[in-house]
Each structure stands twice: as C-alpha cells, then as structure tokens.
Amino acid sequence: MSPKLLIAVALLSICENILVVGGTKIIGVPPNEQDLYNPIVNQETGEKTWHCLGDPKIVLNYDQINDNYCDCPDGSDEPGTNACPYDTSRKFYCHNEGHIPGHLENFKLNDGVCDYEICCDGSDEYLTGRCENKCSEIHQQYVTYVQTTNEEMDISLSEKKKFLSIAQEKRANAENRVEALKKELESSLRSKDKEIESQSQEDTPDQSVYLKLSPYLQELQTSIQLERSKLEDYSKNIAFLESVLSSLIKNYNPNFNDLAVKDTVNKFRDYVSNKDEQEEFQTSSIKVLTSLTEESEKLSYNTQNENVDIFYPGISNMIHYYYTSFVKSFMESPKDKGLGDEEEETTVHTETEDVESLKNEIAKINEDLDKDYGKDDILRSVQSQWIKKRLGGYSYNIGFLDSIYQDSILIGRYSRIEGNKLIYDQGAKCWNGPRRSGIVEMICGPNNDLISIGEPEKCEYHLELMTPIVCNEILEEELLSNFKINYEKL
C-alpha cells in the first residue's frame, strides 16, 4: 500500500471515529469550542452538514472537517491538520490529560518532531505515531519545578521586603533632615542679621588676630613653595619615564613572546588614554595652591604694616574659605568620591555657620529626593552596597549606584536606571577606542550575585546581576513559559 493511501486511510479513520484524542469530539478543538462543530442533521434524509465559522454561507458535508483539504477561507474546517494557511487565531489543541493543555501552531503537526513542551500527550503526531504520551513524567517534573521556584520566590520576596523597608526609612530620614535644616536656616538667618547689625556698629576690625596668625601664614607660604618645587621635580621625572616607555612602545618587537614587556606596554597605553584626567586634577590642585600662596602673602604683608588702611574680612569667613578649598582639593581623591559610603552624613550646625552652606545642603538633599531610584525608591536601599566576583579571569567590583571596576580599570560610573537595567558610562578610555561603559541587567533571585558578563561591542559591557529587589509575584503563565523539560529523565 502506498504512503499516500496509508495517509488517506488514516484520515478516513479519524473522520469516521470522531472520538480521537482525550475524549474530545473533533481533534484539535478545545472542549469549550466543541459545540461550534456540532453537525446540522437533516431530519428527513439524516444527512449531516456543517458551515464555516467565519462564513456561515459556506456549507460543507460534515465529513469534510479535518479531511486535509482547506474548504473554509478562515481555515476553521481543518483544526486538526496543516492543510490551511497558518492563522495565529486558530491553533491545534492538545488535551494533555494529567498535565496542562496546550495550543500548537498547525504547521508543526505531523512533522516528525515531538513537541512535548506543548503537547506532552504526543497528539501533534497522530499520523506519524512517533511520539508517546509523556504527560505523567513531564507533569512530575513541572510540579517539582513549581515547588522549587515558589520556595525561592518566597525567600526573594522576603528579602525584597527588607530592602523596601530600608529604602522607605532612608527617604523618611532625608525628608526629616530637610525639615530640621530649614528650621536651622531660619535660626541662622536671624543670628546673621544680629551679627551684621553688631558689626556695622564697630568702627575698625580687631587686628590682633591677624597679627598672631601672620607668622603661621608665612610658614604656610614657605611650605607651599617647597611642595610646589617638589611637584615640579616629580613632573620632570614622570616626563622622563614617559619618554622611556613611549620609546619602548615604538621600538619593541610585538612578535617576541615576552609577557612582562607586553603587560607593561598594555598598562602604559591605558595610562596614556586616561592621562588627560590626571593632569586636569593636578592642574586644578596647583591653582588652589597658587591662589592660597598669593592671598597669604598679601595678608602677611598688610598685618605687619600698621600704616596701610585696608579692610580685613571676617576671620571666620577666611578660615572657612581656605579650609574648604584645601580639603576638597587634597583630602578627597576621585576614587574616594566614587567608592565611598554614600549614606547621609549628619553635620553639626551652629548658629554662626554660613547660611549658604545650609541652603546648599537643603538643595542637595531635595535634589536627591527627586532622583529616580526605581519603583518604590528601592535602589536607595542598595546605594552603598558593592558586589565582588571573579569571572573569566578578571575581578569585578560593582557598586549599585556608584561604579563598575574590572580589576583596577573603571568600566563606568552610574548614570541612570531604565526599567530593570542600570546604565554606567564615562569609564576609562580604551586603547584606540571609546570610553568604557556598561549595562547591568537585574534579574530576580534570592541574593545579590553577578551571574554573567559579556562584551557585545568593543569596550561596551553587558552584565547580568541577580538581586531580590526586582522580584515580583510569579504568575502561573510565567511558571509554565519558563519551565524546561529535562529530556534525560523522560
């Protein structure tokens, strides 16, 4: 018997014995739509007919349903074959007794492939007979998967609840801090007004303080000049070393397999790529030193010349200005700013503190309160946290709202959040390339952990980070779509 004849006999058998799979009447049709396929019976002749669902004017013999020939424009006469063009609105129904019913694209029917992810009962291969019913084994795997996933999700949601509590507490503390600073500002303004009124009644400022400070300022001037001289010597030495290494890059043989030389060449290239930023910082530091030297010279001279009629600024303002400039330039490095603890600092204000300082702090906190920290401000809870892990031969250091480092190389600084992705940019320059940048995609998990890292484009990194802060209740549809069959256990 020819293969075509065998198929014809099988189809005839299906049509004659309508009860084919899982107790349904018409194969490929879900139970809630079976009544659409009830025949129209002629009471006189007993003839059975049926009309197309999309066009009732088209009437067919009842045995034309699933005869492997497309008679209806909407394909409704062939729910159990692939005779009609594919329509996303109509799919083959898999009963999957003992498991979860599924809907399969008709063009996958009887193609010799067991689509167990959707039809665990093998009904999609009813003509080839190649697929056994595996619903019992697959359902057991699914039950185990659901139980494990729900247990992990319970842990993750419990951890997320803790993070939410921390975030809410931090926001409340910031709001309370603003209110306290506003009251302090009002008090400082009143004190400032009284101070101005008191100073206006004085004819001349007290010069004794300046005379006592003069020797110290002269000593400071001398120390600054010595330090500046040392910086100039260091600059000359660095320039000499740079010229030596530049000569090495130009003249070394890249084919000579000396790992120490190659490593030195690569590190010097990274150094050259980021040299502009280093020089900019050094230049700004020297400017502050120069300014401080010049001002100290003027002050030292004028305090010793009692015949010079000058206006002496308030001593508190002078000390505040130079102390702030000096500390900001020399006591904080760029890396310290990037990797430091960002929790709100408690500053003790007195009634004599500068009013502008209070205003600036209020503005800074309000600006932070307006920032996007994700849904429910959840990122506030992790803004001081870092994740360290070694992958692919490199050590990665990831700060949620700070920076990303690959060993000592800056991949990027935090810029913004987009959905579940953290965007980092303005990293160190690549050799003959752009600045490094990174995208951290956060996926649900019970703890914070770096899962993977890739570099799809030159110097552009993509990291997957597991964290409970993006977890949400999982729906049954999500469980089913994420479930993967272990075929080795079937």
Side-chain angles (χ1 to χ4, degrees):
M1 187 177 293
S2 67
K4 291 185 178 180
L5 186 57
L6 283 173
I7 294 176
V9 170
L11 288 171
L12 180 61
S13 175
I14 291 171
C15 294
E16 290 177 347
N17 302 285
I18 300 298
L19 297 176
V20 178
V21 179
T24 60
K25 294 182 179 180
I26 301 295
I27 188 171
V29 178
N32 64 331
E33 294 183 9
Q34 284 290 331
D35 59 337
L36 299 176
Y37 286 84
N38 290 334
I40 302 171
V41 182
N42 189 313
Q43 297 298 327
E44 296 180 358
T45 63
E47 180 184 11
K48 295 181 179 180
T49 59
W50 178 82
H51 59 73
C52 298
L53 298 181
D55 190 350
K57 294 180 181 179
I58 302 177
V59 179
L60 308 176
N61 292 328
Y62 194 61
D63 58 7
Q64 288 181 265
I65 298 175
N66 281 336
D67 65 349
N68 204 33
Y69 185 84
C70 193
D71 297 293
C72 296
D74 62 352
S76 58
D77 63 312
E78 297 296 318
T81 75
N82 56 12
C84 295
Y86 174 60
D87 184 353
T88 56
S89 65
R90 306 198 65 81
K91 294 183 178 181
F92 180 82
Y93 176 78
C94 306
H95 184 67
N96 294 343
E97 185 174 359
H99 188 46
I100 300 171
H103 294 82
L104 183 72
E105 295 88 345
N106 290 58
F107 63 81
K108 294 182 180 179
L109 293 174
N110 299 305
D111 59 356
V113 178
C114 299
D115 296 291
Y116 282 134
E117 293 84 359
I118 300 175
C119 294
C120 64
D121 58 5
S123 60
D124 58 311
E125 295 296 314
Y126 63 85
L127 285 182
T128 66
R130 295 187 59 178
C131 303
E132 301 178 27
N133 188 329
K134 298 287 186 179
C135 284
S136 177
E137 298 94 321
I138 291 174
H139 185 70
Q140 185 57 49
Q141 289 187 23
Y142 179 71
V143 169
T144 302
Y145 161 76
V146 170
Q147 182 178 356
T148 302
T149 302
N150 284 335
E151 288 175 356
E152 290 182 353
M153 184 57 69
D154 288 341
I155 296 173
S156 300
L157 291 176
S158 177
E159 290 299 311
K160 181 180 180 179
K161 187 176 181 180
K162 296 177 184 177
F163 282 115
L164 282 172
S165 177
I166 294 172
Q168 292 167 1
E169 182 180 358
K170 283 193 171 186
R171 184 174 185 88
N173 289 341
E175 292 172 341
N176 292 337
R177 179 64 177 157
V178 168
E179 292 304 315
L181 286 172
K182 286 181 178 178
K183 292 179 180 179
E184 193 170 349
L185 177 61
E186 293 176 1
S187 175
S188 295
L189 286 172
R190 288 193 294 268
S191 299
K192 194 72 175 178
D193 290 340
K194 292 179 181 179
E195 180 183 349
I196 293 173
E197 183 179 353
S198 175
Q199 288 180 353
S200 65
Q201 297 174 357
E202 298 178 3
D203 295 328
T204 58
D206 183 8
Q207 300 181 12
S208 60
V209 177
Y210 297 95
L211 294 174
K212 291 180 180 179
L213 284 179
S214 180
Y216 298 102
L217 290 172
Q218 288 177 337
E219 184 179 350
L220 175 62
Q221 174 191 342
T222 303
S223 298
I224 291 173
Q225 289 174 342
L226 289 173
E227 292 300 323
R228 185 172 183 179
S229 178
K230 289 181 181 179
L231 284 175
E232 291 175 352
D233 291 339
Y234 291 152
S235 297
K236 291 177 182 179
N237 292 335
I238 291 172
F240 172 73
L241 291 175
E242 287 178 351
S243 66
V244 172
L245 290 172
S246 296
S247 177
L248 174 63
I249 289 178
K250 293 178 181 178
N251 300 317
Y252 92 106
N253 184 359
N255 297 320
F256 186 68
N257 192 23
D258 190 324
L259 297 180
V261 173
K262 290 183 177 180
D263 184 56
T264 301
V265 169
N266 290 331
K267 287 182 177 178
F268 182 65
R269 285 173 173 169
D270 283 339
Y271 164 80
V272 172
S273 297
N274 297 281
K275 184 181 175 184
D276 293 343
E277 294 180 357
Q278 299 168 1
E279 290 181 345
E280 181 182 351
F281 171 70
Q282 294 173 357
T283 302
S284 63
S285 303
I286 292 173
K287 287 181 178 178
V288 174
L289 282 173
T290 303
S291 175
L292 186 56
T293 303
E294 293 173 352
E295 292 300 319
S296 65
E297 288 175 349
K298 295 176 184 178
L299 186 56
S300 175
Y301 171 77
N302 287 332
T303 52
Q304 295 178 26
N305 189 346
E306 299 179 357
N307 296 324
V308 178
D309 184 15
I310 72 167
F311 171 74
Y312 290 90
I315 187 64
S316 62
N317 290 337
M318 181 195 74
I319 293 175
H320 177 269
Y321 172 77
Y322 285 114
Y323 173 77
T324 302
S325 300
F326 189 80
V327 169
K328 283 186 177 179
S329 298
F330 296 98
M331 302 304 290
E332 297 181 3
S333 68
K335 188 172 183 180
D336 292 335
K337 293 178 181 177
L339 298 177
D341 188 358
E342 294 186 7
E343 292 187 1
E344 291 81 5
E345 297 179 357
T346 304
T347 308
V348 180
H349 293 274
T350 65
E351 291 183 357
T352 59
E353 187 174 11
D354 187 73
V355 171
E356 288 301 317
S357 178
L358 283 170
K359 290 181 178 179
N360 289 338
E361 187 172 356
I362 292 173
K364 183 179 179 181
I365 297 176
N366 281 331
E367 182 182 359
D368 181 74
L369 288 171
D370 291 336
K371 282 184 180 179
D372 184 5
Y373 281 91
K375 186 178 180 182
D376 298 321
D377 264 8
I378 188 80
L379 288 176
R380 288 186 186 275
S381 61
V382 294
Q383 63 185 139
S384 61
Q385 293 192 16
W386 287 77
I387 298 172
K388 297 180 180 180
K389 191 168 185 178
R390 188 169 183 82
L391 282 178
Y394 296 98
S395 294
Y396 292 93
N397 201 356
I398 305 170
F400 270 97
L401 301 181
D402 201 303
S403 311
I404 303 176
Y405 285 88
Q406 182 190 67
D407 291 333
S408 61
I409 299 174
L410 176 65
I411 289 180
R413 299 193 185 281
Y414 176 73
S415 172
R416 63 192 180 280
I417 180 175
E418 294 179 357
N420 282 352
K421 295 181 180 179
L422 303 177
I423 311 300
Y424 294 74
D425 53 26
Q426 297 302 310
K429 292 180 181 178
C430 285
W431 177 251
N432 288 336
R435 285 186 176 276
R436 291 174 173 84
S437 62
I439 297 176
V440 176
E441 183 173 0
M442 298 181 290
I443 59 176
C444 176
N447 57 282
N448 294 331
D449 188 24
L450 178 60
I451 302 300
S452 66
I453 183 167
E455 190 177 353
E457 299 291 339
K458 184 177 181 180
C459 302
E460 295 179 7
Y461 301 84
H462 184 227
L463 304 90
E464 280 191 333
L465 185 67
M466 180 174 68
T467 175
I469 68 174
V470 295
C471 290
N472 294 298
E473 291 284 353
I474 190 167
L475 303 176
E476 185 176 352
E477 292 80 2
E478 294 178 275
L479 285 169
L480 188 59
S481 64
N482 294 332
F483 170 63
K484 302 298 180 185
I485 299 172
N486 186 345
Y487 284 91
E488 294 180 357
K489 295 184 178 180
L490 291 183

